[in-house]
Amino acid sequence: MGRVSVVGDRVLRGPHGDLPVRVYEPAAGVERVAGLVWAHGGAFMHGDLDMPESDWVARSLAADGVVVVSVDYQLAPELDYREPAAPQAAGGARFPVASEEVTFAYGWARDAGLGVGPERWSLGGASAGGNLAAGASLRLRDAGGPRPRSVVLAYPVAHYELPAAGPELAAKIAALPPERDFPPEAMRAMGANYLGRSDLPISPYAHPGGQDLRGLPPTFVVTSDHDALRSSGEAYCAELAAAGVDVVLVREDGTYHGHLNEPETAGAARSIARIADWLTTDRTETEAAAR
């Protein structure tokens, strides 16, 4: 693994005011083989550019030749989603703010002259950030502009209502301690807090699961093994495949939700290696379609 030579903070003029991003560039002499715009997780209301799921992921990928632009999107107000009866907090930024900011950051990075050709930029995120990245890929498709080379999602929440878990996953969820579980009512509270409402219909850009996914870029999804959100990642992959999208799904054995926030674990190391391999592997047909 190489070194990261440049880590720089910038503030963009985003669609909703100042938008901080952090750019990670490979060391001198390391070929810049790909670019990635990345969004951290945190239930839409937590997280920052310093958390491992943002900083460690970006540094690890940059050491392998990937220029990473990590997005400090605006957060929804804090809510105890494990207490669904709690009133929604005031303030914060609700949908579509973060979704539009991640979309904007992709367009900026693609044209920013960071040493990676515009056709080699991918879009990705973890958990809630995976939701934002998937939604942004829909926005970019519908806008008719150049699509990302690929989409990379780590344990994403793609659906407002979690799809039903199969017996194998249900048994693992039942064994989770309460602090690691995400029961349906908690996910509904989290989603409603992000949207600012709980009524339907939901914009396809807010929760892309179950929407028209035709024409999206090749997608790589890694899920956590012992994780209620795994049902969403698996269902989203099935929906992508049914829509004719090339998709790769990996269940990271022995891991829990958010395992990229635990860089000292074997599961996190395996996942970051898988993501790096996906981003740096040549896919000529994909790049031609992105032009």
Side-chain angles (χ1 to χ4, degrees), residues 100-289:
E100 292 178 347
E101 289 182 329
V102 171
T103 307
F104 177 87
Y106 170 78
W108 174 85
R110 195 176 188 276
D111 299 326
L114 295 172
V116 177
E119 74 283 357
R120 296 189 67 83
W121 279 90
S122 294
L123 179 61
S127 194
N131 169 292
L132 297 175
S137 72
L138 285 180
R139 289 185 182 277
L140 292 163
R141 179 201 64 184
D142 293 348
R147 70 176 188 174
R149 180 185 185 226
S150 72
V151 175
V152 178
L153 308 176
Y155 37 84
V157 52
H159 303 78
Y160 184 79
E161 295 274 358
L162 285 182
E168 173 266 339
L169 177 56
K172 290 178 177 176
I173 294 171
L176 289 172
E179 65 272 13
R180 286 192 180 272
D181 191 15
F182 295 92
E185 60 273 16
M187 295 303 300
R188 285 192 291 269
M190 184 191 306
N193 184 56
Y194 169 53
L195 296 172
R197 66 183 197 281
S198 58
D199 58 308
L200 301 177
I202 296 172
S203 165
Y205 307 135
H207 287 83
Q211 308 297 333
D212 178 5
L213 305 179
R214 290 173 294 180
L216 290 181
T219 301
F220 177 84
V221 179
V222 59
T223 60
S224 301
D225 186 11
H226 302 261
D227 179 13
L229 270 63
R230 198 179 108 201
S231 68
S232 183
E234 292 173 343
Y236 187 62
C237 287
E239 293 162 5
L240 287 168
V245 178
D246 291 337
V247 61
V248 173
L249 170 64
V250 174
R251 174 188 55 80
E252 202 64 80
D253 188 45
T255 59
Y256 296 88
H257 185 77
H259 66 265
L260 290 179
N261 268 315
E262 302 172 344
E264 71 284 355
T265 63
R270 290 194 303 268
S271 289
I272 207 68
R274 298 184 202 277
I275 293 171
D277 182 67
W278 170 268
L279 291 170
T280 58
T281 297
D282 182 55
R283 288 187 298 278
T284 303
E285 292 182 2
T286 301
E287 293 170 10

Side-chain angles (χ1 to χ4, degrees), residues 28-41:
V30 177
E31 182 184 3
R32 301 182 181 212
V33 295
L36 174 68
V37 173
W38 181 255
H40 64 77

